[in-house]
Amino acid sequence: MQVGIDLGSRTIKVAVVEDGRMIDYRIAESGFDPHGQALEMIKQYKPSKIVATGYGRHLAQKHFAHDVITEIKAHAIGARYHFPECTTVVDIGGQDSKVISLGANGSVVNFQMNDKCAAGTGRFLEIMATSLGFALDEFGPAALESDQEVAINSMRTVFAESEVVSMKNRGIPPKDVANAVHLSVVNRLTAMLNRVGFGESIVFSGGVARNPCIVKMLQERLDCVKVESPSAPDIVGALGAALYADRC
Amino acid sequence: MEAARFEVKPYPEMWESLDMDVPRFDKARQMLGEVYGKMFMSQPNRPEKMAYFDDMISEIFGRRIQEMIDVKKEGRPIVGTFCVYIPEEVVVAAGGVCVGLCGGSPGSIPDAEKILPRNICPMVKSAFGFKVGKICPYFQVVDFVYGETTCDAKKKTWEILDRLVPTHVMEIPQMKNARDKTLWFEEVKDFKTKVEEVCQKTISTDDLAAAIKVINNKRRALQRLTKVRASSPAPISGKDALLIEQIAFYDEPVRFAEKVNELCDELEERARNGEGVIDSSAPRVMVSGTPMALPNWKVHNLIEAAGAVVVNEESCIGTRYFKDLIDENKSTMDEQLDALTDRYMKIDCSCFTPNYERIDQILKEYKDSNAQGILHYSLQFCHTYNIEEIKVREACEKEGIPYLSIESDYSPEDVGQLQTRIEAFLEQIRG
Ligand code: SF4
Ligand code: SF4
C-alpha cells in the first residue's frame, strides 16, 4: 500500500494505492495546522511508502513523507492513470493553473504555470463569485444561464475585480457578469494551451474541473479537441504521488 | 568561518564622509551578511580559495571603498558603469577605476519608485534607488557615471540620474553593420577624450597597451574558471562562480585575476582527482539571459537548493563579459582603439538586432559546459531579453535541450512558484 499526499494551500488531498489501483481517497481543508491535519488524514493507513506533492511537500518530507515530487509530475502520472493515452493535462487549483504536455511515454516534456497573479485560478473564481454574491458551486451554473457576451478586459485580479464592480453598477445582470468572469479564465487557459501546444484530448483536473461552465467554454474554444475529466478531479495530484511511490 | 558568524563589516564613519544614510544602510549591511552567511557559508565541500571572495563580501562596504577613496585622493577618477559595453580598458589606462553599479537588491526599489515608473526593469530601479536613498557607497564614491543607449529603461533613466550624479552617455549602435562600427569607433574616441579630460592625463599607447593586458588577464582568469566548471562532478557551485563573476565588477583587476587563478589551480586539482561540490549524478543546469547583479542569487539558490548545480552563466555577469579578448599586438593608438572596438562589437546583447550570434553562443556554451538543460532568465519588463527568449526556446526545442524560461524580479513573492517550476524542470532532466 502506498499513500500520495497533495498539500495544497487550501486543501489537503490523500490518495491510497494498492497494486497499482486506487483504493481510497480523502480531501480536507488545510486549516491552521496543515501538518497535524495531514497526519490525521493518513493515520488509518499502513503504507510502505508516502510521497508528498504540492505547496507543502517539503514540509511533509521533513516530518513524515519518504519522497517528494512536484505537482507537475504528479498530475502527469495521475492523469495517465485515468486516461492512459493523454498528452495534455490542464489543472486549475486554488492558487495556480498549469498546462502540462506529455510525451508518448507519459513523461513531462513541457509545462506552463500562471504567473504570480491569481487570475486564471480557482481563487480568482472564488473572489469573483463572492463579490457577485454567488456561492462557489452556484457560480458556474449561473454563468451557463447567460446568453449575453460581455467581456472583462483586465487580466489582473485587482483590476478585474473593479471591472466586475463597475459592471454590477451599470446594471448588467449578475449571471452575465459571471459569464464574463468564466470567459476570462478560459481565455487565459487557452493562451497557456497555445503556448505549450496540445494533442487531441485534454485531461482537465483540479477543483475547477467540476465547474460546468469552464468545462463547456473550454470545450467550445477547443472545437475538435476532447476535454475529459476524471470523476474526482481534485485528487489527481495525490493519486500521481501515490502511483509514483508504487513505482519506486 | 561559520554561517552564523559571517558579517559584512561596518564602517559608519567612512559612510558618513560619503554622505550616506548611515542608519538605514547599516540595516542593509546586516541583512546582506545574514543572507550571505546562510546561502554561501554552509555549502558543502567549498573550495578553500573561496576565502578571498568571502572576504571581499565581508569588506564590500569597507576596504574596497577605502581603496577607491585613496585612488580619488591621487586625483584619479572612479567611473560608475551599467553595461559591459563601456570600455574599462580606457579608464584603467588613464589610471582610473571602473565599477559596475547594476543593482540586484529589492531594498532600494521603493526609493526609485518615488520617481521612476514602476513597470520598468528592477535592475534599473534598484540601481537608481541606491542613489536616491544614498544607500550604496559605490554610487557615492564615483566621480561620474557613464551610461549607454542600450535599452530604453536605462537610456531614459540617465536623463534623470544626471540630476543626482554627473551622467554621460555613450551611443551604442543597435545593429552591427559597417557604419555602426564606425559610429561606435567614434564614440570610443570621444569616451577616451572625456576620460582624459577628467584625469588631466593623455593616454599613451603604452598606457593603453598595459590596460588592455590587465583587463585581458582578468577575462582570461574568468575563462579559465568557466572551463574548469565543465568537469564532472562540478568542482565549484554555481552560486560561488556567479559570486566571483559579480565581484569582477568592483574588485581591483590585477589582484582579482590573481585570486581567480589561485582558485582555478585548486579547482583543476579537484577535477584531476574527481572531486566536486556535489555528486556527478546531480543535474547540470546552464543559466542564460539577463545579468544577475549582486546580491541577486535568487535563481541559483533555488536551483542548487533543489539538488542541481549551475555550470555556466551566459549573461553579462557571466561569459558575455569575458568570452572575447582584445588583440594585444597593436602599436598605434588608432590600431589599438580599432582592436578594442572590434572586441566590443562582438558583445551579443539582446539590445542588438538581429542577434543570431547569441543563439549560436548559447548552444556552444551548452555543449562546452556539459550542461543538461538551459534555464532562461529574464528580468521582468526587460523587453529585449523577454522577446529574444522566443528564439532561445525554439533553438532548444530544435536541439532537444530541456528548457525552462523564467521571468522574475527581486521580490520574494514568487519564490514558491519558481521553486516548483525549477524542481519540475529538474525532474524533466532526471527523466
Ligand atoms: S545585457 Fe546588454 S545592456 Fe545589459 S550590460 Fe549586457 S550588454 Fe549592456
Ligand atoms: S536587464 Fe534588460 S531592461 Fe534591465 S537594464 Fe538590462 S537590458 Fe535594460
Side-chain angles (χ1 to χ4, degrees), chain B residues 43-63:
Chain B
Q43 297 177 94
N45 309 326
R46 268 183 110 206
E48 269 173 36
K49 296 289 183 192
M50 281 308 295
Y52 171 77
F53 303 98
D54 289 336
D55 190 50
M56 278 303 291
I57 293 296
S58 178
E59 289 290 344
I60 186 171
F61 301 142
R63 196 181 56 221

Side-chain angles (χ1 to χ4, degrees), chain B residues 82 102 120-125 148 150-155 158 289-291 349-351 378-386 410:
Chain B
F82 289 89
C102 286
I120 60 171
C121 169
M123 187 142 67
V124 175
K125 282 191 288 189
E148 17 53 53
T150 44
C151 68
D152 290 352
K154 286 204 276 183
K155 178 164 77 186
W158 307 144
T290 47
C349 168
S350 67
C351 290
S378 185
L379 282 169
Q380 212 176 15
F381 306 117
C382 175
H383 303 321
T384 55
Y385 278 92
N386 259 321
Y410 299 159

Side-chain angles (χ1 to χ4, degrees), chain B residues 252-271:
Chain B
E252 196 286 312
V254 176
R255 177 180 61 205
F256 174 82
E258 211 176 281
K259 294 299 176 182
V260 173
N261 278 318
E262 280 173 20
L263 172 73
C264 288
D265 291 340
E266 183 184 356
L267 299 183
E268 285 163 7
E269 174 76 24
R270 282 185 162 201

Side-chain angles (χ1 to χ4, degrees), chain B residues 391-403:
Chain B
K391 290 186 164 181
V392 181
R393 178 175 5 110
E394 286 167 354
C396 287
E397 272 166 14
K398 192 162 154 245
E399 299 287 323
I401 299 171
Y403 178 76

Side-chain angles (χ1 to χ4, degrees), chain A residues 142-150 173 175-176 179:
Chain A
L144 276 177
E145 280 170 25
S146 159
D147 48 15
Q148 283 294 316
E149 277 240 340
V150 277
K175 62 176 202 281
D176 294 340
N179 187 285

